[in-house]
Amino acid sequence: APTGPWLHLDGGWEPFKWLLLFGEAEMMFTDTSVAQDETKARAFPIFGFGAGLRPKIHLSERVAIFGQGQLGLMKADVNQNALGVIGYRDAESLSVYFGGRLGLEWYQVDRHIALGALGGLRHCGGFAKFGQKGEASLAWDTGVTLRYSF
């Protein structure tokens, strides 16, 4: 699938200054234009939800780097067998994803707000082509972030 917009929301709790436990929800939009010609291409959303850990290290009072790992479930929201006909039938039901991201946060003068950037890889088990043993179904996530904390 080609690159598309990604909407992502995290909510969490910091039991320590250096560790965030979070839950996440997301929605992505893409289409089948890589696998099919333009006349048969179908646009569709993918949604997911999960949880993870985010340890961080402060480089200064206002800058921190972080790594995060997450585990969750995702699926393509399509009519039954819409992706199955091109070999991706497992994408139509909830399947496990896991992965990690690295990022940078810049804390503003207001201690509750931070701007950031992140990127990482995820293995999306249900998005491998059916019958292709050993095929990796990886997703590359990149984004800019706005963080608000109490």
Side-chain angles (χ1 to χ4, degrees), residues 16-98:
F16 308 106
K17 262 184 110 164
W18 56 271
L19 181 66
L20 172 71
L21 307 172
F22 66 89
E24 63 183 355
E26 62 189 341
M27 181 171 277
M28 296 142 292
F29 300 92
T30 190
D31 61 48
T32 61
S33 62
V34 172
Q36 296 179 304
D37 65 42
E38 290 179 16
T39 62
K40 295 178 185 174
R42 172 183 297 248
F44 60 92
I46 299 171
F47 69 89
F49 53 91
L53 296 169
R54 177 191 286 187
K56 68 181 172 184
I57 298 170
H58 276 272
L59 302 176
S60 73
E61 184 178 314
R62 294 188 51 196
V63 176
I65 57 173
F66 65 85
Q68 82 180 35
Q70 72 260 25
L71 174 68
L73 299 169
M74 69 182 345
K75 76 172 262 183
D77 190 21
V78 295
N79 294 328
Q80 186 173 7
N81 209 31
L83 296 176
V85 297
I86 58 173
Y88 296 92
R89 72 176 184 200
D90 292 340
E92 297 176 4
S93 58
L94 286 173
S95 58
V96 174
Y97 70 81
F98 60 89

